[in-house]
Structure formats: structure tokens, C-alpha cells
Amino acid sequence: MNRKLALVAVLIVAVLTAGIAIAAGGGDDDQPLTGSTRDRAVNAALEHTGGGTVQETEAGDDGAAYGVEIRLDDGRQVEVNLDEDFNVIGQEDDDDTPGEEED
């Protein structure tokens, strides 16, 4: 009987641990850019897109050193990805609103 009780206890601990790990990973922990880093990233991104309105900035997003979300004049929203030297390494359409968690 003690063996069954021990197995149940182990299973409960495993389920609780998995739940905590899922909950911790579900949040948006991207750090917004600040100061001259933000200025340089925004300038590079806006130059790349030819203008628009900055919606959000973040460090270390999607494998890039910096990400800048921009609402273009035609209403589309894109995310411009930059390397650590503020060179554009990619751009993707971005349907989420600023601060919205992605699935």
C-alpha cells in the first residue's frame, strides 16, 4: 500500500511541476528597449520600412538581438528584426497588438 501512495505522490508532484513550468513560460517576458539602444533600433527599423509609427520595441525577440514593431501608413503592422549591430536581418508581418501575448 505504501508503494501505491508513493507513486501517487510522485505523480502529483510531476503534474504540479509541469503546471508551474507551463504557467511560467506563458507570459510575455520581452524587455522593451531604452535609451540610445532604443533610438538606434527605431532609426534602423524606420529607415528599413520607409516610415511608420513605432508600436513596440523589445530585446532578444525571435532570435534577433532587437525587434521593432511598426504600424505602416497602409495600416499593416510589421516587426523588423535587427542584429546586435542594428543591421536589419529580417521583417515579418505582425498581427498582434502591442503587448499582446502570442500563442
Side-chain angles (χ1 to χ4, degrees), residues 51-93:
T53 304
V54 174
Q55 301 294 305
E56 186 175 26
T57 63
E58 52 199 357
D61 188 46
D62 296 330
Y66 311 109
V68 181
E69 293 181 15
I70 297 175
R71 171 85 50 205
L72 301 175
D73 293 338
D74 66 5
R76 292 181 301 126
Q77 187 161 313
V78 297
E79 180 166 359
V80 178
N81 296 312
L82 307 163
D83 67 13
E84 50 280 331
D85 294 321
F86 302 96
N87 297 308
V88 175
I89 58 172
Q91 173 184 312
E92 17 183 274
D93 289 336

Side-chain angles (χ1 to χ4, degrees), residues 36-58:
S36 65
T37 300
R38 182 186 189 285
D39 294 343
R40 291 181 68 190
V42 164
N43 289 336
L46 289 173
E47 182 177 327
H48 174 74
T49 61
T53 304
V54 174
Q55 301 294 305
E56 186 175 26
T57 63
E58 52 199 357

Side-chain angles (χ1 to χ4, degrees), residues 86-103:
F86 302 96
N87 297 308
V88 175
I89 58 172
Q91 173 184 312
E92 17 183 274
D93 289 336
D94 191 24
D95 296 340
D96 65 323
T97 55
E100 178 184 14
E101 290 183 23
E102 296 180 20
D103 295 328

Side-chain angles (χ1 to χ4, degrees), residues 3-40:
R3 191 172 185 172
K4 287 183 182 179
L5 186 57
L7 179 59
V8 169
V10 168
L11 289 174
I12 290 172
V13 169
V15 169
L16 290 174
T17 302
I20 291 169
I22 290 169
D28 184 11
D29 60 352
D30 294 324
Q31 296 296 312
L33 302 178
T34 59
S36 65
T37 300
R38 182 186 189 285
D39 294 343
R40 291 181 68 190

